[in-house]
Structures are given as C-alpha cells and as structure tokens.
Amino acid sequence: MASAANACSPSFSAANSSVSKPKALSDFYLRFRNINALSLRSKRVGLPVLSFSRIRSPRISASSPQVMDQSVGEASSKAPTIVEVDLGNRSYPIYIGSGLLDQPELLQRHVHGKRVLVVTNNTVAPLYLDKVVDALTRGNPNVSVDSVILPDGEKYKNMETLMKVFDKAIESRLDRRCTFVALGGGVIGDMCGFAAAAFLRGVNFIQIPTTVMAQVDSSVGGKTGINHPLGKNLIGAFYQPQCVLIDTDTLNTLPDRELASGLAEVIKYGLIRDAGFFEWQEKNMPKLMARDPSAMAYAIKRSCENKAEVVSLDEKESGLRATLNLGHTFGHAIETGFGYGQWLHGEAVAAGTVMAVDMSYRLGWIDDSIVKRVHNILEQAKLPTAPPETMTVEMFKSVMAVDKKVADGLLRLILLKGPLGNCVFTGDYDRKALDDTLCAFCKS
Amino acid sequence: MASAANACSPSFSAANSSVSKPKALSDFYLRFRNINALSLRSKRVGLPVLSFSRIRSPRISASSPQVMDQSVGEASSKAPTIVEVDLGNRSYPIYIGSGLLDQPELLQRHVHGKRVLVVTNNTVAPLYLDKVVDALTRGNPNVSVDSVILPDGEKYKNMETLMKVFDKAIESRLDRRCTFVALGGGVIGDMCGFAAAAFLRGVNFIQIPTTVMAQVDSSVGGKTGINHPLGKNLIGAFYQPQCVLIDTDTLNTLPDRELASGLAEVIKYGLIRDAGFFEWQEKNMPKLMARDPSAMAYAIKRSCENKAEVVSLDEKESGLRATLNLGHTFGHAIETGFGYGQWLHGEAVAAGTVMAVDMSYRLGWIDDSIVKRVHNILEQAKLPTAPPETMTVEMFKSVMAVDKKVADGLLRLILLKGPLGNCVFTGDYDRKALDDTLCAFCKS
C-alpha cells in the first residue's frame, strides 16, 4: 500500500470498468438462482470446518450512539486510547489518538538501547520523518537515529528492497539492542518488521502506521514479510512489535483512494465477527468517507480491538486468525495476477470479499440480504465489487494454489455462514461453488 | 563449510605460513612477560561480567575410559544414541549413530504433511541425496520429495542463494504443512533453517548434518541465517528443527580438512565448560584424526550434550549461550576480512580461539599452561594457530564492530578465566589487552 501525500484519487475504474457500473452483479445473481443449494453440499472433502461466531470482548463497546460518542471522545483527545494485545511476555499496547507524535514519552518508553533505525518511504518521509526523529530524541540526547527511505509501493515489497534495510543497519553498525521503527503504511510495516525479525536474528521494533489500512490491520498482530514474484507475503515471520503508535492526525495527508482501501479491512471485521460494528458502519460510512475525526477514531479503535482479540487467541494462525483473511485469497490472486501495486491491497480485498460472499451464497450458507448489504457498503466506500476484467479463472487458480492457507494440497477459504457476523475457515466445500464463483467474475 | 567428497586435504599453510612453523608463538610469549597483569585490570567499563563455570549435566558421562567405551558402544550400534534438546514445546531429539539413514522410521516420524523439500549442495547430493529420498519415502507412498541443489561453500551463504530455496518451494507449490530437510554441512543447515523459518512465516524442518562441524555444533540449537557482505550470520532467525539426525557414516566421505575444522568446535566445548572432555581429547586426538568410529561417536555425543544443555538454558543467547562463540568473534573477522570460503569456519575459529586465549592470558585471567595446551591440541588437530598474514588490525576492528555481541557500542567477548573449563562473556576488560592481542597477531 502506498501512503499519504497528495490527495489525488486515481480511480480504479480505469482498470476495471465494472466498479462504477456493476453490471457483473446482475449476471451472477441470475446464475445463483439456477443452482440447487442443497446439491452443492454433497461433495465434502478434507479438513474439518472451523466455525467462528462473534466473540464479544468485554472491552469492545456496544455500537449504540451513546457508547460510540464516549469512546470517540477518548480517542480524539490528547490522552491516547490504549488497546492491549495480550500475548504473554510479548504483549504490547496500541496507542490511538490525535497528536500522539507530539508526546515523545509514548515512543521513548519503548525504545531500548541507544540506536534507532527509522524505516520509511519517499512519500511519508517528507511529511513525518522529522517529527518522528524529534519524538524519539527530544529530551533524550543519548539516542541517535538513522533512517532509510525506501521507494513507495507494494511493487517494492521484495527482497531487493529489504536488503537496503539490512545494508543501512549494518553500515550504521547497529547492534542487537537497537530498535527499528516502521513509519508508513502496510508495506513499510511488513518490511521493517521482517527486517527487525531477521537482523542479528531479531531486534526490537515499533510500528507507526500512517494509513488506515496499516492502522486498522497490518500494524497489529506481528505478521511481517515480503512478496515473491509468484505470490504475496510468502516470505516472512511472525514477529511482534514493542508497541503500535497510531497518530490519527497522519490520516490528514492520506489520499482518498488509500482511505477507501483501509475501509475494506474495517468492513471485514464487521462481516466475520462483529455485526454491531457492521451496522454502525452502514450508518456512518458517509462520515468515514468525509474523514470525520470522531467516526474515524472509533472505527480504528474498534478494528484494533477486534484484531487484538483474534491475535491474542491465535497468534500463529492455526485457525481463528485465518478468518481475518476474508476476501484475501481472492484478493491476493488479484494483486499477484494483475501486478503488485496496480490495485491497492484493500481494493483487491474488497473485490475478493464480494467473491467470497458470492461463493458463500452459492453454497447456501448465507441469505441474499447479506450479499446485498456487502455490495452496498463497498459501493458507499467507493471500493471495487468485482476483479479487474483482465483476471482469468486460470490466473486465480494458479495464484490461489500457492496461498499460505493451502494444507496438503487443499485450499481452505474463509466464507460467511449463518447470520451476519459469522464465518467459517474451511476446505470442506463443494469445488463447484468455487469454480462457479470464478466463472461468474471472469470473462475467461 | 563445504562438505564431504574427495579426500584431498588442501593445506591452509599456503595462506598462512605461521601455521606450520609457529614462530609467532614465541613472539607473543615474549610480550606477555613484559605486561603487568594487575595493571591490565585497572580500566573497567561497561556491562557486568557473566561468569560461567562448567555445569555438569546429569546426562553427561564422566570421561573415564570405562564410561567412554560404554557410550561409544551405544553410539556405534544400529540403535541411535538420543540427546534431547529441552525447549518446552519446541524440544527435539538428536539421533546419533551409524547407519541411521537406513532406518526410515527415524526420519518419517518427524515429517508432518505430505510434501518434503530436501535442501542440499552439489557436493553432498551425489553422495547422499538418493539415500535420504529413499529414507523419506520407503513404505511411505503418500510423501513426495522435491530437492534443491545449491552450490557448495560459505561464499554462497547469501540472499541470492537463499532465494533459490524459496523459488523451488513456491514453484513446487509447497504449503505450510511441508517439511524442509537440510542435508549437508553448516552452510546448508543454516540456509535451509532460515528458509524454513521464513517460508510462509515458518514450516517444519529437519537437520541431517554430514560434516563434523554441523554434527557437533551448527545443526543443534536453532541458529539459522545467512551472511551479509559486511559480516557473517547477520541475517537470520532462531528456529528449532523437528529433529537432528546424525548418521556418523556420512563422515566417511569427509575431506581431512573438513574433519579438522569440525574438531575446532569439539575443542571449544572442553575449553569453555568441560575440562574432562578436553582432557579426553588431549589423549584421543590421534584417534579422532584417524576417524576411529568409537572415538568420533563419543566426541559427537559429548559435544551435542554440551550444546543441548547450553541451548536449553539460554535459547536466545542472553548470556550463557554466547560462550559457545569462544574464538568466533576473531574467527568471523578472519572469515569476513579474508573472504568467505578461503578458510573453513573451524580453521578461522581455531585461530580465533588462540587469540581469545592470548587475550585472556594478557588479562591475567588464565595461566600459561592453558595457553600451551590450547596450542598443542590445535596443532595435533592440524588447525591454524594464527590468523592469515594478510589480516590487519584494522580489518579485525572493522568487522568486530558489527559483531552481534556488540551491545550499545561495547564489544563483548568470550574469554577464559580461572581453571581449565571456565570462561566469561564480558565487555568488562582492558581495551589495551585487545589491542595488544591484535597487534601480536597482525603485521600491520
């Protein structure tokens, strides 16, 4: 994901005409009606279904307007809202709030040792690098900060770019007690985190996410890594940061398209485990699109709470955590097949979510009201609801075959099942439903 | 480290004339006498000294000939000797014995999933790849094995070669339930282990070490990684295997020079924590050099017991584990400064051990009998006792400055202190002793 800077909003409709006029939609609705949902359940193979209904955290507020306003009030004041990621001796706080980069003590309490390497990109550096260096060093003369500025974009999330981080760290003679700071969007967070995991077999790191995507999803939970030409995030590590610092002010410079991309992950939390949050989003999407600070702070906080809870229960993705990848298997195929960086991650996830929802409906696992609500909310967020027209069934299949959720040759998917807010992670589905979904969304 | 194959034994004396005629020795003995040991202790700075005396494991047999013969009898029979590495839910066995690759059940019980990738090199593959594939698949038709054959040698332990492992794994569509098998020496084990740690954020792996170096040291304990042009093992992970399978028969094809290189690490265990083992080596070095199977099996077993105990007590190297790096800081500087692959790892460690022992003596921490015994045993093992003549003080200093044991700018070293079998890991030493050691061993 690229990050911040000029507020130009390149439309993805150039790449995919179906976004602005969802003609494909009526197409596949039509096909739905010709399939007997029961017959689809006949061919079952493989691993057991892991079924997940929403687990309501005691910390997660109900979505009534009163409660919402209260938590928003907290999050937009100078005192940060804190969401804890509970992982035993690797637990860490997520700080959320406005103006947090002006509170040096928040960052400094998590820097061990005297040396810091800030990893950022050429879009974010002009905007926030000085501010972060100031936050790290103000009143703290013993700490010295180096920085490495990478090119911006998903297409640079590769080994060649990663090596630039190692080169800088080694040239700067950083040692095991140093701290890496990721300043940027999801690409920077993933690369900096993996570099921190591998440099000298592991050094401390801190996440300062500057995009909605990174703030609500990728900076939390310790998944780090890089892409391989044949697939996304295939090389990496589970590696937890010391803290995540979300200064919501950094969203002021975020392009509209990046904003929408991040909202795809916000919508995901509602669909897989938090119906109340989804309903709140249905009412408040215009506010989120208008960057209303209170609404945005609430969406970030509730997303982080959902993510923190899932990660605490299943750090290494043996089951539950995989549900956070709703739409991602289809989405990764789009990103890889279409070329990294053509679509933003959230755009691909949005189209992938529609495909997963389509397949869930074909399997008879959800009713059509959910299908419609998903389309509506994604359209409100100006996100795509179908893959690029150049994607073929074969492109999907070849990339999905190397997905990390394949086990012993069987592709497991996250699919919705039951009332809104419930999903399953399973390889136990009729292959025909998958084929039909792919055919419905691809011209060839 | 290269591995196996033709038994030619290229001499390192071409690279360093001081090996065959240790004239440097008398030189620095002379200098020793001019230094007041007490004055060297005056300038103390930095971190606290971590002092380690030998901790005798209940499992480690005493070194009396009777006990030795008994354990040798076990290790050389078909039933493997088993040394456990105790790391909670990441514990694993080390199997040691002759003919273990002819016992498929040993390997197969540790393969989860249906897909295996054997990572090996072009020296070892012609010798043992078929045998290993057979051991993985005999009576086990559900398992399919792919392999990737890398070029042999320390100079290929880099990111470019590592990417070949990822390429192969992804092209073969391996998934999270696959197992990587490292078949070869330390370079293969380190690279395969790091690839397993990073592929899909972590898959299972098994070590089948085929060199003394790998069998007594690098395959045990989960340190994995690759070199950077500016320093050894600077990029990697702590990642434990499912098991280590040491078939001592693989040593039959090992070149003499490789054999000696591995003995440098065997000697290390005696020096840092196991005086009884060192004394046994002093008596049995001719047998080890002649590849006496019983002596070799005992040396491997006792080395693995020492390593397993240290790793169990300090997996992530917060203190005790660092002592396993006796001679390695100087040694890494030689490998990096002289060019990866010019000297074998153990050759560099041997010269580095002499330097660390020299410095310990200059500090007044050991008496000269230990200095002499170290020289004698390394000479018996036909290992170098001084760095290559091309190494300068500046080369040592620049590489040592990026060593992983630097903390907040202070280089910590493993030095001997007290009676044989005792060492410290400390940054609290007189800088002059280090300078004097470097000057004593370098022409400029």
Side-chain angles (χ1 to χ4, degrees):
Chain A
M1 293 128 285
S3 350
N6 65 329
C8 71
S9 175
S11 166
F12 38 73
S13 59
N16 176 18
S17 61
S18 68
V19 174
S20 45
K21 47 181 175 73
K23 66 167 176 44
L25 195 58
S26 56
D27 263 16
F28 67 77
Y29 273 149
L30 215 60
R31 294 195 194 195
F32 277 2
R33 296 198 188 94
N34 298 327
I35 295 169
N36 178 334
L38 280 176
S39 74
L40 290 173
R41 298 187 191 179
S42 55
K43 294 184 234 160
R44 299 278 165 104
V45 290
L47 299 172
V49 179
L50 295 168
S51 180
F52 306 99
S53 50
R54 171 162 170 19
I55 303 161
R56 190 181 290 266
S57 159
R59 283 194 306 268
I60 298 181
S61 320
S63 62
S64 68
Q66 295 88 333
V67 177
M68 188 209 89
D69 287 342
Q70 185 192 342
S71 64
V72 163
E74 286 164 25
S76 58
S77 78
K78 286 287 178 185
T81 298
I82 301 177
V83 177
E84 275 290 334
V85 184
D86 181 8
L87 290 166
N89 61 4
R90 286 168 297 111
S91 296
Y92 56 92
I94 307 166
Y95 303 112
I96 306 167
S98 164
L100 301 192
L101 285 177
D102 298 318
Q103 299 178 42
E105 69 282 7
L106 276 182
L107 266 186
Q108 291 181 13
R109 73 174 70 146
H110 296 283
V111 172
H112 312 297
K114 299 173 186 168
R115 305 289 304 276
V116 176
L117 179 68
V118 179
V119 179
T120 187
N121 67 35
N122 53 9
T123 306
V124 177
L127 297 165
Y128 299 112
L129 180 54
D130 286 350
K131 201 174 180 76
V132 167
V133 172
D134 180 64
L136 287 162
T137 54
R138 200 189 313 164
N140 198 16
N142 288 330
V143 164
S144 73
V145 181
D146 290 279
S147 63
V148 55
I149 299 173
L150 306 177
D152 181 12
E154 181 83 26
K155 69 181 169 195
Y156 299 106
K157 187 176 162 181
N158 56 29
M159 194 59 85
E160 191 185 340
T161 312
L162 185 75
M163 288 302 284
K164 293 186 200 300
V165 181
F166 294 126
D167 292 348
K168 181 70 186 181
I170 295 166
E171 283 161 16
S172 305
R173 302 195 166 181
L174 299 189
D175 63 46
R176 274 186 178 160
R177 286 170 57 78
C178 72
T179 299
F180 283 18
V181 173
L183 172 65
V187 169
I188 286 294
D190 284 7
M191 281 207 292
C192 177
F194 185 41
F199 180 58
L200 310 182
R201 300 198 186 95
V203 298
N204 290 332
F205 91 110
I206 289 172
Q207 292 266 19
I208 306 182
T210 61
T211 65
V212 176
M213 171 61 69
Q215 292 178 354
V216 302
D217 188 24
S218 62
S219 71
V220 175
K223 277 196 182 179
T224 71
I226 57 171
N227 300 330
H228 183 277
L230 297 177
K232 231 178 104 77
N233 295 331
L234 296 183
I235 301 165
F238 288 98
Y239 198 68
Q240 303 295 341
Q242 309 303 113
C243 76
V244 181
L245 188 140
I246 299 175
D247 187 333
T248 53
D249 294 353
T250 58
L251 300 183
N252 295 337
T253 51
L254 194 68
D256 287 343
R257 193 177 160 199
E258 289 282 351
L259 178 85
S261 173
L263 293 177
E265 302 285 2
V266 174
I267 293 165
K268 168 192 80 180
Y269 293 114
L271 287 173
I272 61 168
R273 67 192 312 272
D274 194 346
F277 188 27
F278 188 85
E279 285 155 10
W280 178 86
Q281 293 167 34
E282 289 183 310
K283 293 185 194 115
N284 290 278
M285 190 52 75
K287 284 190 181 172
L288 292 175
M289 294 300 284
R291 301 170 192 238
D292 175 282
S294 295
M296 196 58 83
Y298 177 74
I300 293 167
K301 173 175 171 285
R302 189 131 170 185
S303 296
C304 286
E305 285 169 338
N306 271 293
K307 177 118 188 204
E309 194 174 307
V310 170
V311 169
S312 298
L313 292 167
D314 177 25
E315 183 185 5
K316 296 285 177 73
E317 195 166 310
S318 44
L320 177 65
R321 183 167 182 170
T323 63
L324 296 173
N325 287 313
L326 174 70
H328 282 59
T329 301
F330 296 103
H332 285 177
I334 294 170
E335 288 179 271
T336 306
F338 198 44
Y340 294 135
Q342 296 295 310
W343 270 18
L344 297 178
H345 176 63
E347 292 166 353
V349 166
T353 299
V354 173
M355 294 175 79
V357 168
D358 173 39
M359 189 173 151
S360 305
Y361 180 79
R362 285 175 194 271
L363 290 164
W365 291 356
I366 54 171
D367 67 40
D368 68 350
S369 71
I370 294 179
V371 180
K372 285 174 192 157
R373 289 170 78 179
V374 170
H375 271 269
N376 287 342
I377 200 163
L378 291 174
E379 281 168 7
Q380 275 199 72
K382 299 197 193 308
L383 284 162
T385 53
E389 291 193 337
T390 52
M391 287 297 293
T392 64
V393 172
E394 197 38 55
M395 285 161 80
F396 272 105
K397 285 191 171 175
S398 86
V399 180
M400 289 163 82
V402 295
D403 188 274
K404 288 189 291 301
K405 287 178 290 299
V406 171
D408 284 339
L410 180 70
L411 176 64
R412 293 172 295 169
L413 289 169
I414 297 93
L415 298 165
L416 302 189
K417 191 167 189 175
L420 186 71
N422 292 275
C423 67
V424 290
F425 172 47
T426 182
D428 187 6
Y429 52 79
D430 191 315
R431 291 292 164 278
K432 188 169 180 306
L434 175 56
D435 287 342
D436 288 347
T437 292
L438 293 177
C439 287
F441 284 89
C442 299
K443 287 189 171 168
S444 62
Chain B
M1 295 125 284
S3 350
N6 66 330
C8 71
S9 175
S11 166
F12 37 75
S13 59
N16 177 17
S17 62
S18 67
V19 174
S20 44
K21 46 181 176 73
K23 66 164 175 46
L25 195 59
S26 54
D27 262 15
F28 67 77
Y29 273 150
L30 216 60
R31 294 196 194 194
F32 278 2
R33 296 199 190 92
N34 297 328
I35 295 168
N36 179 333
L38 281 175
S39 75
L40 289 173
R41 298 187 191 178
S42 56
K43 293 184 235 160
R44 299 279 166 103
V45 291
L47 300 173
V49 179
L50 295 167
S51 180
F52 306 100
S53 50
R54 174 165 168 15
I55 302 161
R56 189 180 291 265
S57 159
R59 283 195 306 269
I60 298 181
S61 320
S63 62
S64 67
Q66 296 88 332
V67 177
M68 188 209 89
D69 288 340
Q70 184 192 343
S71 64
V72 162
E74 287 164 25
S76 58
S77 76
K78 286 290 177 184
T81 298
I82 301 176
V83 177
E84 276 289 335
V85 184
D86 181 9
L87 289 166
N89 61 4
R90 285 167 298 110
S91 296
Y92 57 91
I94 307 166
Y95 303 112
I96 306 167
S98 164
L100 301 193
L101 285 177
D102 298 318
Q103 299 179 42
E105 69 281 6
L106 276 182
L107 265 185
Q108 291 180 14
R109 75 174 69 147
H110 295 285
V111 172
H112 311 297
K114 300 172 185 168
R115 305 288 304 276
V116 175
L117 179 68
V118 179
V119 179
T120 186
N121 67 35
N122 52 10
T123 306
V124 176
L127 297 166
Y128 299 112
L129 181 54
D130 286 350
K131 202 175 181 76
V132 167
V133 172
D134 180 64
L136 287 162
T137 54
R138 200 190 314 165
N140 198 16
N142 288 330
V143 164
S144 73
V145 180
D146 290 279
S147 63
V148 55
I149 299 173
L150 306 176
D152 182 11
E154 181 84 25
K155 69 180 168 195
Y156 299 106
K157 187 175 162 181
N158 56 29
M159 194 59 85
E160 191 186 340
T161 313
L162 185 75
M163 288 302 285
K164 292 186 202 298
V165 182
F166 294 126
D167 291 349
K168 181 70 185 181
I170 295 166
E171 283 160 18
S172 305
R173 302 196 166 182
L174 300 189
D175 62 45
R176 274 186 179 161
R177 285 170 58 77
C178 73
T179 299
F180 283 17
V181 173
L183 172 65
V187 170
I188 286 294
D190 283 6
M191 281 206 291
C192 177
F194 185 40
F199 180 58
L200 309 183
R201 299 197 187 96
V203 297
N204 290 332
F205 91 110
I206 289 172
Q207 292 266 21
I208 306 182
T210 60
T211 65
V212 176
M213 172 60 70
Q215 292 178 354
V216 302
D217 188 23
S218 62
S219 71
V220 175
K223 275 195 184 179
T224 71
I226 57 171
N227 300 329
H228 184 276
L230 296 178
K232 232 178 104 77
N233 296 331
L234 295 183
I235 301 166
F238 287 99
Y239 199 68
Q240 302 296 340
Q242 308 303 114
C243 75
V244 181
L245 187 140
I246 299 174
D247 186 334
T248 52
D249 295 353
T250 58
L251 299 183
N252 295 338
T253 51
L254 194 69
D256 287 344
R257 194 178 159 199
E258 289 281 351
L259 178 85
S261 173
L263 293 178
E265 301 286 1
V266 174
I267 291 164
K268 169 192 78 181
Y269 293 114
L271 287 172
I272 61 169
R273 68 193 312 272
D274 193 348
F277 188 28
F278 189 86
E279 285 155 10
W280 177 86
Q281 293 166 34
E282 289 182 310
K283 293 185 194 115
N284 290 278
M285 190 52 75
K287 284 189 182 172
L288 292 174
M289 295 300 283
R291 301 172 192 237
D292 175 280
S294 294
M296 195 58 84
Y298 177 74
I300 293 167
K301 173 175 172 285
R302 189 131 170 184
S303 296
C304 285
E305 284 169 338
N306 272 293
K307 177 117 187 204
E309 193 174 307
V310 170
V311 169
S312 298
L313 292 167
D314 176 25
E315 182 186 7
K316 296 283 177 72
E317 195 166 311
S318 45
L320 177 65
R321 183 167 183 169
T323 63
L324 296 173
N325 287 314
L326 174 70
H328 284 58
T329 301
F330 296 104
H332 285 176
I334 294 170
E335 289 180 90
T336 306
F338 198 42
Y340 294 136
Q342 296 295 310
W343 270 18
L344 298 178
H345 176 62
E347 291 165 356
V349 166
T353 298
V354 174
M355 295 175 78
V357 168
D358 173 39
M359 188 173 152
S360 306
Y361 180 78
R362 285 175 194 271
L363 289 164
W365 292 355
I366 54 172
D367 67 40
D368 68 349
S369 70
I370 294 179
V371 180
K372 286 174 191 157
R373 288 170 78 180
V374 169
H375 272 269
N376 287 343
I377 199 162
L378 291 174
E379 281 166 8
Q380 274 201 71
K382 299 197 192 307
L383 284 163
T385 53
E389 290 193 338
T390 52
M391 287 296 294
T392 65
V393 171
E394 197 38 54
M395 285 161 80
F396 271 105
K397 286 193 171 174
S398 86
V399 181
M400 288 163 82
V402 295
D403 189 274
K404 289 188 290 301
K405 287 178 289 299
V406 171
D408 283 338
L410 180 70
L411 175 63
R412 293 172 294 170
L413 290 169
I414 297 92
L415 298 165
L416 302 189
K417 191 166 189 175
L420 186 71
N422 292 276
C423 67
V424 289
F425 172 46
T426 182
D428 187 5
Y429 52 79
D430 191 316
R431 292 290 163 280
K432 187 169 181 307
L434 175 56
D435 288 341
D436 288 347
T437 292
L438 293 178
C439 287
F441 284 89
C442 300
K443 287 188 171 171
S444 63

